[in-house]
């Protein structure tokens, strides 16, 4: 089966610019996640969707980050305006179901550099 | 709140020798625990998971982990390291409703 797709793979922008990332989960996976992985750290959950509804966005910096999942399939994550500390790899993952213990499948990530 | 602590940021082994990557967890209830591996420029891949069934969990590529409640540990082991095992390994706990909390990672270096 096809894996989780993300684009672009790399992005370089200047601070205060805006940027958007796209994710296409595995077909049929109801739950979608966005993570931020800063260099030298483990991934940190930003937002979790169940179909097209938000389950958890407690760690999403809502003053500059936004995310949507239209029709319960693809998702976009946007940063506006970007700050230097937003430089990181943004990972998208999906799982068939939610609840305790489901396996999450990760995409290759988008590496963002803010200069 | 659930959390994991990976006790080593780097582990170096020689090819053919055993691997031990250490992880302690903190949880107010019986947790689901995972080990993920991340090769350079590749996505995270699930190695194995514990979800309150057998305490010794076998994963892919010869890795296994043992859940020890008395020690609050979930260490990852492999009898014989291979060059292709060189990667970063993350111990992960399910914080509830499939919200994963990752450790800081352990970089495994394998020398010939």
């Amino acid at each position: 089966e096809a894996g989780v797709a993300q684009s672009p793979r790399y992005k370089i922008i200047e601070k205060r610019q805006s940027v958007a990332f796209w994710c296409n989960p595995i077909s049929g996976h109801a739950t979608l996640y966005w993570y931020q992985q800063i260099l030298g750290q483990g991934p940190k959950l930003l937002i979790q969707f169940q179909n097209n509804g938000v389950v958890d966005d407690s760690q999403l910096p809502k003053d500059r980050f936004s995310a949507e999942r239209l029709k319960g399939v693809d998702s976009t994550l946007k940063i506006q305006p970007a700050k230097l500390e937003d430089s990181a790899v943004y990972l998208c993952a999906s799982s068939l179901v939610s609840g305790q213990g489901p396996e999450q499948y990760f995409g290759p990530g988008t590496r963002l550099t803010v200069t | 709140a659930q959390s994991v602590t990976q006790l080593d940021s780097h582990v170096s082994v020689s090819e053919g020798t055993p691997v031990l990557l250490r992880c302690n967890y903190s949880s107010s209830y019986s947790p689901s625990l995972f080990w993920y591996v991340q090769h350079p420029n590749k996505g995270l891949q699930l190695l194995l998971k514990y979800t309150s069934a057998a305490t010794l969990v076998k994963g892919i590529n010869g890795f296994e982990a043992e859940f020890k409640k008395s020690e609050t540990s979930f260490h990852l082991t492999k009898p014989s390291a291979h060059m292709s095992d060189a990667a970063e390994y993350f111990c992960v706990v399910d914080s509830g409703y499939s919200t994963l909390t990752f450790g800081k990672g352990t970089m495994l270096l394998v020398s010939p």
Side-chain angles (χ1 to χ4, degrees):
Chain A
E1 65 181 2
V4 176
Q6 290 188 248
S7 67
R9 291 295 310 277
Y10 304 91
K11 189 74 176 179
I12 301 174
I13 62 172
E14 295 181 352
K15 59 184 179 183
R16 291 187 289 273
Q17 287 186 324
S18 63
V19 65
F21 312 127
W22 173 82
C23 173
N24 180 240
I26 293 173
S27 177
H29 280 197
T31 310
L32 184 146
Y33 317 78
W34 283 102
Y35 291 85
Q36 180 192 57
Q37 185 176 17
I38 293 173
L39 186 65
Q41 300 181 19
K44 181 186 79 171
L45 180 69
L46 292 176
I47 189 167
Q48 176 184 343
F49 291 95
Q50 176 75 14
N51 295 309
N52 59 355
V54 176
V55 173
D56 182 358
D57 64 356
S58 57
Q59 297 195 80
L60 187 73
K62 299 180 186 64
D63 58 333
R64 298 184 299 106
F65 286 65
S66 64
E68 61 182 4
R69 189 181 185 196
L70 299 176
K71 301 180 182 178
V73 183
D74 293 4
S75 176
T76 56
L77 176 70
K78 297 180 182 178
I79 308 175
Q80 182 179 10
K83 292 185 175 181
L84 295 176
E85 59 260 36
D86 299 331
S87 294
V89 176
Y90 291 85
L91 298 166
C92 179
S94 68
S95 64
L96 189 59
V97 295
S98 59
Q100 194 169 13
E103 179 174 353
Q104 295 186 19
Y105 295 82
F106 285 81
T110 297
R111 184 178 297 276
L112 173 67
T113 302
V114 182
T115 63
Chain B
Q2 281 60 246
S3 66
V4 289
T5 302
Q6 293 185 243
L7 300 175
D8 307 291
S9 60
H10 293 80
V11 169
S12 295
V13 300
S14 299
E15 192 174 21
T17 64
V19 175
L20 170 63
L21 305 183
R22 300 182 294 165
C23 173
N24 287 349
Y25 70 90
S26 173
S27 177
S28 55
Y29 57 86
S30 183
S32 293
L33 293 161
F34 310 78
W35 277 97
Y36 278 82
V37 61
Q38 189 173 36
H39 287 92
N41 298 316
K42 291 190 176 180
L44 284 155
Q45 181 184 20
L46 180 68
L47 273 179
L48 50 82
K49 68 176 181 179
Y50 166 77
T51 54
S52 73
T55 56
L56 183 62
V57 182
K58 294 188 182 299
I60 62 172
N61 300 333
F63 284 94
E64 63 181 35
E66 186 171 7
F67 175 76
K68 291 187 177 181
K69 186 175 181 179
S70 60
E71 299 176 9
T72 62
S73 68
F74 190 59
H75 300 336
L76 181 70
T77 61
K78 183 174 181 177
S80 176
H82 192 273
M83 294 296 290
S84 61
D85 295 328
E88 190 159 24
Y89 292 80
F90 293 94
C91 182
V92 184
V93 64
D94 188 323
S95 300
Y97 208 70
S98 65
T99 299
L100 300 184
T101 298
F102 284 73
K104 292 187 175 181
T106 298
M107 186 68 71
L108 177 63
L109 307 170
V110 183
S111 58

